[in-house]
């Protein structure tokens, strides 16, 4: 895999920011889009655009084929048994909300437990808080180890016979921790619970096989894997999806509508009320083609190497604190530079053309656990190189000199 050659496929990356060549290190927030994805969306709007599942005319059937073809690609990409188990959503947030509203609220009773962790993104935390409040269920947390990992002993101890749902990220967007999902799924199932996996940060970076992991629900966000914004997917086991009531009602999702009652279409369409994100699905399909051509294993290997290099380079900067495990992590490094506020760090880096994230990363409970109000985060993707990491490290040294920081003790 040649990241420099791949970078040439991304038009946006070839520009100067504040007089410096752009180094884009905010990929955990959203990735950039290759030419093939941009072209697929353009071609769709220039040639095929129509509404899906309704028109009998040629454009209508082309648009439907493109949309349903993208669903087939997502199913193959995740190794889902059937494309009817893939629901198109706006992203991971919507997908998790569908499960929390459609499954959790419909099945949980007072005294039931939902088990999550404090490393969850708000998208995999607030829907469960709300479901617990609405049903009388209890929210429980698997404790975090000092390096930001969890142990299987703690999973065994936290998940009980009362637990009905375990909801957890495959990879943390702050710590980079990769959770042992297959083993957690085994524990959850043995105790009679289902497992819901937030795949926003894993799907773009490593090969995912929902059958091998034996997860009940799995989510992804297209924009974090070279696809467009506004499109994502929810995978679910067929029986669970069959038993779930839709949560959005209207056009497209119905079978028969009477004056006082209605029936729903079969899977997956009963969950896709209204006109869907057709061009978004087409773009996501093109993104999957692009990623499959490179190979997810190659992408993962590249990011592991780059992250290890970044950890080495950044650790050498006096007073810089890196959070999260040193090994077994996805391609991001979350850090603080002494007592300099991360927003100031990100602002100075931007003057050097380097884009990093700063803030709470939609993980406020995790910030509290880290005992910080915010952090900076550099996150990598297939087009980043050691040169990008060098630019980051050099600019961080300049930032440190600029602020004359006090190291955090
Ligand atoms: N979960 C994790 C771990 C994330 O990193 C994100 C986005 O940053 C989300 C969920 C939410 O994804 P989206 O905003 O695409 O719905």
């Amino acid at each position: 895999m040649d990241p420099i050659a791949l970078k040439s496929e991304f038009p946006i990356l070839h520009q100067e920011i504040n007089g410096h060549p752009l180094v884009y290190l905010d990929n955990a927030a959203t990735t950039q889009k290759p030419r093939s994805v941009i072209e697929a969306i353009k071609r769709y709007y220039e040639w095929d655009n129509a509404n899906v599942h309704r028109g009998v005319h040629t454009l209508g059937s082309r648009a439907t084929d493109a949309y349903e073809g993208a669903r087939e690609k997502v199913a193959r990409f995740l190794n889902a048994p059937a494309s009817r188990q893939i629901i198109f959503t706006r992203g991971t947030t919507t997908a998790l909300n569908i499960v929390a509203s459609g499954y959790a609220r419909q099945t949980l009773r007072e005294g039931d437990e939902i088990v999550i962790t404090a490393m969850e993104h708000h998208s995999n935390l607030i829907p469960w808080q709300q479901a617990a409040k609405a049903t009388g269920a209890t929210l429980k947390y698997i404790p975090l180890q000092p390096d930001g990992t969890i142990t299987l002993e703690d999973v065994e101890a936290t998940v009980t016979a009362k637990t009905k749902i375990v909801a957890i990220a495959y990879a943390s967007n702050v710590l980079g921790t990769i959770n042992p999902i297959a083993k957690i799924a085994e524990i959850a199932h043995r105790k009679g619970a289902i497992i819901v996996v937030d795949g926003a940060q894993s799907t773009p970076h490593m090969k995912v096989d929902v059958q091998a992991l034996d997860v009940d629900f799995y989510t992804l966000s297209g924009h974090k894997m070279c696809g467009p914004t506004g499109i994502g997917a929810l995978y679910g086991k067929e029986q669970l999806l069959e038993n779930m009531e839709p949560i959005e009602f209207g056009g497209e999702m119905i079978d028969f509508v009477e004056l006082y009652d209605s029936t729903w279409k079969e899977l997956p369409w009963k969950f896709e009320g209204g006109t869907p994100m057709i061009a978004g699905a087409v773009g996501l399909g093109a993104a999957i083609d692009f990623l499959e051509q490179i190979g997810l294993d190659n992408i993962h290997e590249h990011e592991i190497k780059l992250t290890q290099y970044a950890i080495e380079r950044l650790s050498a900067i006096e007073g810089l604190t890196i959070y999260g495990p040193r090994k077994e992590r996805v391609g991001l490094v979350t850090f603080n530079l002494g007592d300099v506020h991360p927003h100031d760090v990100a602002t100075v880096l931007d003057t050097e053309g380097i884009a990093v994230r700063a803030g709470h990363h939609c993980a406020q409970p995790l910030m509290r656990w880290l005992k910080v109000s915010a952090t900076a985060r550099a996150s990598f993707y297939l087009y980043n190189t050691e040169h990008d990491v060098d630019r980051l490290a050099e600019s961080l040294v300049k930032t440190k000199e600029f602020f004359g920081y006090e190291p955090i003790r």
Side-chain angles (χ1 to χ4, degrees), residues 28 91-94 121 123 169 171 173 198 200-201 221 223-224:
T92 288
T93 305
T94 318
H121 186 283
S123 300
N173 63 315
D198 170 351
Q201 296 295 346
S221 292
H223 69 98
K224 294 187 195 286

Side-chain angles (χ1 to χ4, degrees), residues 28-30 90-96 119-124 169-174 198-202 219-224 231 357 361-362 377:
T30 199
R90 199 156 49 78
T92 288
T93 305
T94 318
L96 290 167
M119 77 174 87
E120 303 311 314
H121 186 283
H122 295 160
S123 300
N124 198 30
Y170 198 166
S172 158
N173 63 315
V174 179
D198 170 351
Q201 296 295 346
S202 45
T219 69
L220 63 87
S221 292
H223 69 98
K224 294 187 195 286
I231 186 80
R357 192 73 159 183
H361 313 288
C362 299
R377 179 186 69 190

Side-chain angles (χ1 to χ4, degrees), residues 18 341-352 354 356 358 399 403:
N18 296 318
H341 195 282
H343 281 150
D344 291 336
V345 172
T347 305
V348 175
L349 291 177
D350 185 59
T351 64
E352 301 264 322
I354 302 169
V356 299
T399 310
F403 282 103

